Amino acid sequence: MIGTTLPHLAGQSTIGSLFRDRARLHPDRPAVEAASRTLTYGALNDRVNRAVEVLRGFGVARGDRIAILSENRAEYLELELACAKLGAILACQNWRLAPPELRHCVGLVSPRLVVVSERQADLLARAGGGAIPTLGLGPDLEARRGRAAAAEPEIAAEPEDGLLILYTSGTTGLPKGAVISHRAEIARYLVYYADLGVRPGDTSLAWPPFFHMAGTEPALAALVVGGKVIVVDGFRPDEIAVHVGHERLWHLVL
């Protein structure tokens, strides 16, 4: 029975289910540190579940795309994990793009919702969001989350569903969206664990932008194995050096 059941269950794993199970195993373990605030796995999972309800309130369902335009912050990871449970796909927008390029990238994915930070709101306005509903990071999201239920949702995503859309550089034209599935990300994480020695309790220092694979992928990999993510708002050498001196880092992009 075990020989036939466990491989089947492993084959059905998604990023949402792996994070949910990690939160159940280690609810009091530090998960995300950002702006001098630390969230445990239990607290992070609670915020993720409430974010799922917020997204559902906008009509977001499995297979829908959500565009996000934001600097690195804890809410970015929370929305990635909420999408992972909901089966939606987070399209990570590059805030370094010119408005016409950003308009192309947002339109490319036909999002049901655009999530934007206060810092990037002017760029989004200049790009022209049209009639797409917008959710602001910060007070807007927190007010909606405060009214949402924290019950654990049923995982709607399937392993072959898209998890993220990241964009090519566009060196031969406009950027192109690359859809990355749950199964593809899990396979890449296994390489991290085998080749880089990632273990529970290790720390991932997330200073590269989350719209780039170098920022998002190591952070999510840490959260499904029980590590900690320290979110840094860009390349801040003094802040990074402090963390390098105090944390157990398995991997550092420089």
Side-chain angles (χ1 to χ4, degrees):
M1 185 69 174
I2 291 177
T4 57
T5 302
L6 291 183
H8 172 75
L9 292 176
Q12 295 303 305
S13 293
T14 64
I15 299 303
S17 68
L18 291 172
F19 170 73
R20 175 201 63 197
D21 294 345
R22 185 59 62 182
R24 288 173 175 171
L25 283 171
H26 305 293
D28 298 324
R29 179 178 289 177
V32 172
E33 178 183 322
S36 301
R37 178 191 182 195
T38 300
L39 291 170
T40 64
Y41 272 85
L44 178 61
N45 192 52
D46 178 274
R47 289 177 61 81
V48 168
N49 292 344
R50 292 177 188 272
V52 168
E53 288 300 305
V54 172
L55 296 179
R56 283 176 173 164
F58 282 93
V60 176
R62 180 187 173 203
D64 287 337
R65 278 76 61 200
I66 298 171
I68 183 169
L69 181 65
S70 171
E71 64 282 356
N72 285 11
R73 51 195 294 167
E75 295 98 319
Y76 207 122
L77 291 173
E78 292 165 6
L79 288 168
E80 287 182 329
L81 292 168
C83 286
K85 292 189 178 188
L86 190 54
I89 307 170
L90 197 68
C92 305
Q93 305 300 314
N94 183 344
W95 38 260
R96 292 174 175 150
L97 295 180
E101 295 172 316
L102 179 61
R103 181 166 57 249
H104 162 79
C105 289
V106 172
L108 200 60
V109 299
S110 301
R112 182 172 289 275
L113 176 68
V114 176
V115 180
V116 62
S117 69
E118 184 177 12
R119 189 187 304 174
Q120 308 302 336
D122 179 65
L123 173 58
L124 180 65
R126 287 186 285 124
I132 306 170
T134 301
L135 171 64
L137 291 178
D140 186 13
L141 173 58
E142 294 311 311
R144 294 174 186 272
R145 188 173 358 222
R147 299 190 294 268
E152 187 67 52
E154 183 176 349
I155 302 292
E158 297 288 339
E160 292 295 340
D161 287 349
L163 170 70
L164 299 168
I165 294 176
L166 302 180
Y167 293 83
T168 65
S169 61
T171 51
T172 57
L174 289 168
K176 301 167 182 65
V179 182
I180 304 171
S181 71
H182 289 252
R183 181 163 285 158
E185 276 301 283
I186 291 170
R188 290 171 63 88
Y189 298 165
L190 291 174
V191 175
Y192 278 164
Y193 307 152
D195 289 355
L196 298 179
V198 182
R199 294 295 180 267
D202 289 349
T203 298
S204 176
L205 191 55
W207 72 262
F210 282 145
F211 64 71
H212 195 283
M213 184 67 83
T216 278
E217 190 171 73
L220 290 180
L223 290 175
V224 300
V225 76
K228 181 174 72 172
V229 179
I230 298 178
V231 179
V232 179
D233 185 8
F235 185 62
R236 300 184 174 186
D238 290 347
E239 183 176 346
I240 292 170
V242 170
H243 294 308
V244 169
H246 290 86
E247 298 289 337
R248 174 183 167 188
L249 301 175
W250 57 271
H251 160 271
L252 179 63
V253 175
L254 289 174

